[in-house]
């Protein structure tokens, strides 16, 4: 342990003595490591955001959309919802929900509001985070007045700070009690979620009139198949059971999560990461060449030192490791600085604003994998860059100390 510590101390002393020369070469290494770390972090963040966006909009793995069609008149949405719930109970599917999209009129809100009639399972299926209050619950269907959950963007626009204030909204001809505030899907998201029973009792008639509440609604049935089941087969059985209760009705089951599109080409996030990482590696190689050049010149000026050390009994291994560690310690410090720069920029208000403009409501934590990769890459670069001057130092002879 003492020997290893002495090697690090010697390497640090040499870096301090040659700081002007080494600093110029390490600037390139620092920038290259920062670029590499940023590219890996960006790819990781893009993949995470893409996965979260897919879950929020489509659902988790093995999520299916059931679509009804047929030559005759379509069954009422209320009947389809009842059929879906019955089939879900029959096959033990915990997560099943209708998604009835409609256009509510909220006089208190200055802009467009999206309305969704969903079951309580909708929120865990789509990873919707309740920031205040609670999500919809089955017993809410028994209340005389409708209750709803609104998005954070809508709450801010209406000046609602907390559901503890017992806020209410005028939606069409009905007064809706707000019981929860859900995180935005995008910036300035203005959405309201109610139970299907509330929609059928208070909003469906106005929606169908094509006047008071936007005109028309779209009904989608979603199920999330358990991982231990055969998703395709079970989804088709559920679709068949729903269709069986209506003459001439066809119900198709289509997988809509991100896994359904895995065969349509490579992930754009992976391509972006590869391109950015390739550019960063090229910059890192140039920085390593600069470091090698300066290290070789420095070693040639230290031939007298190495000869004297050999005369006093220093082994070739000690000299080799000592010279190589000078590069490793330098690049390690450069790597830490590069990773630190990226981490600080990532958490800066500028980065938060930039990602917010791109539609990302909240940034995930800084990827640890990217930071580790940046530091490890800097150490490997130091090892490679330090081997050539280390070999030159080892080959120095005692007689060279006299000659120089």
């Amino acid at each position: 342990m003492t020997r290893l510590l002495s090697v690090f101390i010697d390497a640090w002393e040499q870096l301090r003595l040659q700081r002007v020369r080494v600093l110029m070469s390490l600037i390139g290494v620092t920038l290259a490591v920062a670029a590499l770390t940023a590219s890996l972090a960006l790819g990781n963040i893009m993949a995470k955001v893409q996965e979260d966006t897919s879950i929020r909009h489509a659902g988790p793995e093995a999520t299916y959309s059931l679509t009804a069609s047929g030559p005759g008149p379509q069954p009422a949405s209320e009947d389809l919802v009842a059929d879906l719930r019955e089939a879900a109970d029959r096959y033990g599917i915990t997560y099943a929900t209708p998604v009835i999209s409609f256009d509510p009129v909220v006089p208190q809100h200055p802009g467009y509001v999206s309305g969704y009639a969903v079951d309580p399972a909708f929120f865990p299926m789509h990873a919707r985070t309740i920031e205040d209050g609670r999500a919809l619950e089955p017993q809410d269907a028994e209340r005389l007045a409708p209750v709803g959950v609104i998005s954070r963007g809508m709450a801010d626009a209406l000046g609602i700070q907390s559901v503890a204030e017992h806020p209410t909204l005028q939606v069409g001809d009905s007064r809706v009690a707000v019981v929860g505030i859900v995180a935005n899907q995008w910036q300035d998201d203005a959405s309201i979620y109610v139970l299907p029973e509330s929609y059928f009792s208070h909003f469906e008639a106005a929606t169908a009139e094509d006047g008071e509440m936007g005109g028309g609604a779209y009904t989608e049935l979603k199920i999330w198949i358990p991982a231990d089941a055969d998703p395709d087969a079970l989804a088709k059985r559920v679709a068949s059971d729903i269709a069986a209760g209506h003459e001439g009705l066809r119900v198709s089951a289509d997988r809509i999560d991100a896994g359904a599109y895995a065969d349509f080409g490579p992930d754009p996030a992976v391509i972006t990461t590869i391109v950015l990482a390739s550019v960063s590696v090229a910059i890192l190689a140039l920085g390593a060449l600069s470091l090698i050049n300066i290290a070789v010149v420095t070693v040639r000026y230290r031939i007298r030192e190495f000869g004297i050390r050999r005369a006093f009994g220093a082994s070739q291994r000690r000299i080799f490791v000592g010279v190589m560690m000078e590069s490793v310690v330098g690049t390690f410090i450069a790597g830490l600085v590069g990773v630190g720069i990226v981490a600080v920029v990532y958490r800066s208000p500028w980065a938060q604003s930039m990602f917010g403009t791109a539609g990302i409501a909240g940034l995930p934590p800084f990827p640890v994998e990217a930071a580790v990769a940046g530091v490890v890459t800097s150490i490997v670069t130091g090892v490679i860059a330090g081997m050539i001057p280390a070999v030159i130092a080892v080959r120095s002879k005692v007689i060279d100390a006299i000659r120089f």
Side-chain angles (χ1 to χ4, degrees):
M1 185 66 183
T2 304
R3 183 176 299 179
L4 181 61
L5 183 60
S6 66
V7 170
F8 278 99
I9 293 175
D10 289 343
W12 173 253
E13 286 298 322
Q14 289 299 325
L15 286 176
R16 189 174 62 84
L17 293 173
Q18 306 291 336
R19 57 183 176 273
V20 177
R21 294 178 181 176
V22 175
L23 181 62
M24 297 306 296
S25 60
L26 290 183
I27 289 177
V29 176
T30 301
L31 295 178
V33 171
L36 179 62
T37 304
S39 63
L40 296 176
L42 182 60
N44 189 300
I45 293 167
M46 288 179 61
K48 178 65 176 174
V49 169
Q50 185 176 346
E51 178 184 357
D52 292 346
T53 302
S54 175
I55 292 176
R56 287 199 302 269
H57 291 278
E61 184 178 1
T63 298
Y64 289 77
S65 174
L66 308 179
T67 306
S69 62
Q74 297 298 304
S77 297
E78 193 168 0
D79 295 334
L80 292 176
V81 171
D83 292 340
L84 173 66
R85 291 172 175 173
E86 181 180 347
D89 291 339
R90 183 182 303 118
Y91 294 108
I93 300 175
T94 305
Y95 298 99
T97 179
V99 181
I100 305 174
S101 305
F102 63 101
D103 299 330
V105 173
V106 182
Q108 298 166 254
H109 192 274
Y112 175 78
V113 177
S114 299
Y116 303 96
V118 298
D119 278 346
F122 173 88
F123 295 93
M125 281 180 65
H126 293 272
R128 300 294 169 83
T129 303
I130 301 297
E131 296 184 348
D132 186 33
R134 62 173 177 85
L136 298 174
E137 297 177 351
Q139 55 267 32
D140 290 334
E142 302 173 3
R143 300 178 61 164
L144 297 178
V147 301
V149 173
I150 63 175
S151 62
R152 170 56 64 185
M154 186 171 180
D156 292 342
L158 297 176
I160 298 175
Q161 302 298 326
S162 172
V163 296
E165 303 170 357
H166 304 290
T168 61
L169 297 177
Q170 186 69 35
V171 181
D173 295 330
S174 302
R175 200 76 183 172
V176 178
V178 178
V179 296
I181 299 176
V182 67
N184 286 344
Q185 299 182 65
W186 56 83
Q187 260 192 330
D188 302 325
D189 175 21
S191 302
I192 182 171
Y193 302 85
V194 298
L195 288 177
E197 287 80 1
S198 298
Y199 169 76
F200 297 137
S201 301
H202 300 275
F203 309 127
E204 184 180 34
T207 302
E209 290 175 1
D210 193 15
E212 196 173 325
M213 296 187 67
Y218 174 73
T219 302
E220 181 183 17
L221 307 179
K222 287 186 175 182
I223 54 175
W224 177 15
I225 306 296
D228 56 349
D230 183 352
D232 288 335
L234 186 53
K236 290 178 181 178
R237 287 201 297 270
V238 173
S240 177
D241 287 2
I242 294 176
H246 307 277
E247 184 178 356
L249 183 68
R250 293 190 298 271
V251 179
S252 60
D254 301 304
R255 185 173 175 179
I256 58 174
D257 62 275
Y261 307 99
D263 298 331
F264 285 83
D267 189 345
V270 175
I271 298 176
T272 302
T273 302
I274 292 175
V275 173
L276 294 177
S278 300
V279 175
S280 302
V281 168
I283 298 174
L284 189 61
L286 294 176
L289 287 176
S290 175
L291 183 61
I292 291 173
N293 183 44
I294 293 178
V296 168
V297 172
T298 303
V299 164
R300 291 193 179 277
Y301 277 102
R302 296 168 60 192
I303 293 297
R304 182 181 180 86
E305 172 195 338
F306 297 135
I308 294 174
R309 292 175 66 179
R310 290 289 304 279
F312 278 89
S315 64
Q316 289 185 339
R317 179 181 177 183
R318 176 65 181 271
I319 293 177
F320 181 90
V321 173
V323 174
M324 186 177 68
M325 286 303 297
E326 294 173 13
S327 296
V328 173
V329 172
T331 55
F332 174 69
I333 295 174
L336 289 180
V337 174
V339 171
I341 291 173
V342 176
V344 170
V345 171
Y346 180 77
R347 282 303 175 190
S348 66
W350 172 80
Q352 300 284 341
S353 175
M354 183 183 66
F355 282 104
T357 304
I360 302 173
L363 283 179
F366 185 79
V368 178
E369 300 87 349
V372 172
V375 174
V376 171
T377 302
S378 67
I379 294 175
V380 173
T381 302
V383 172
I384 296 174
M387 292 183 70
I388 295 178
V391 170
I392 295 175
V394 166
R395 290 181 177 179
S396 62
K397 299 179 176 58
V398 177
I399 191 64
D400 293 333
I402 302 175
R403 185 177 303 168
F404 285 89

